[in-house]
Amino acid sequence: MSYGDMRRYADTLGVTVCSDKLPGDEQGRYVRELNIIIIDRYMSYRVKRCALAHELIHWHHGDSSCNSITRSRQEHRARRTTASTLILTYEYAQAETEYDGDIYHMALELDVTKQVLKDYQDMVIPNLQILDRRQYA
């Protein structure tokens, strides 16, 4: 899905998505009390796409925690789910082969940020390998 497709999809879910300037390096924010997702308007569409997917996952789970441990778990889940949603395994394998593991070019090819690609490598691929081993056990 493109960023525009995701915004239209969010409309069907009843969550409001808007753009504004966010503080610091913050790319997106879900405000549960207002049922709104704010995406920083000064980013590229590729970054906005990844940020919106990430915030929609927070919305889906109803995340809103002040507890740092819970917030950390929610953030980890959102990052892992964003990576596994935006990157298909066969497309990743193809990009890795084509670009010889070069993160920058792979991220461009897969239309994700380098962070989402790293999250895929760190959080999704190890679990895929565990599932593969279980399959043959």
Side-chain angles (χ1 to χ4, degrees):
M1 279 187 172
S2 70
Y3 175 69
D5 291 337
M6 275 195 241
R7 284 195 68 150
R8 286 185 287 282
Y9 176 67
D11 285 341
T12 70
L13 300 173
V15 62
T16 301
V17 178
C18 63
S19 298
D20 203 351
K21 176 67 180 143
L22 291 173
D25 292 338
E26 195 173 358
Q27 298 173 346
R29 178 186 299 169
Y30 168 57
V31 183
R32 184 172 133 185
E33 297 76 23
L34 301 174
N35 197 35
I36 190 170
I37 293 173
I38 306 165
I39 301 297
D40 191 304
R41 70 174 42 181
Y42 298 103
M43 299 182 300
S44 70
Y45 278 102
R46 183 169 45 92
V47 177
K48 287 180 182 182
R49 176 179 177 263
C50 294
L52 181 54
H54 179 96
E55 297 307 325
L56 281 169
I57 290 161
H58 282 306
W59 171 84
H60 175 77
H61 290 285
D63 292 348
S64 178
S65 176
C66 295
N67 178 314
S68 63
I69 293 171
T70 303
R71 188 175 334 125
S72 175
R73 288 182 184 145
Q74 291 171 351
E75 190 61 22
H76 184 270
R77 178 188 60 214
R79 288 175 60 182
R80 183 185 67 245
T81 307
T82 298
S84 66
T85 301
L86 294 180
I87 298 174
L88 301 176
T89 304
Y90 74 91
E91 290 177 347
Y92 173 87
Q94 213 171 10
E96 187 175 52
T97 299
E98 185 173 339
Y99 297 104
D100 198 28
D102 181 88
I103 300 263
Y104 174 78
H105 289 101
M106 289 173 64
L108 287 177
E109 177 71 23
L110 297 169
D111 197 25
V112 296
T113 63
K114 290 189 297 184
Q115 183 61 57
V116 170
L117 183 64
K118 291 285 292 158
D119 289 345
Y120 186 84
Q121 292 173 330
D122 296 343
M123 298 179 200
V124 177
I125 289 175
N127 290 326
L128 292 175
Q129 293 169 347
I130 289 170
L131 290 175
D132 286 344
R133 278 187 249 129
R134 286 184 193 156
Q135 183 178 357
Y136 298 107

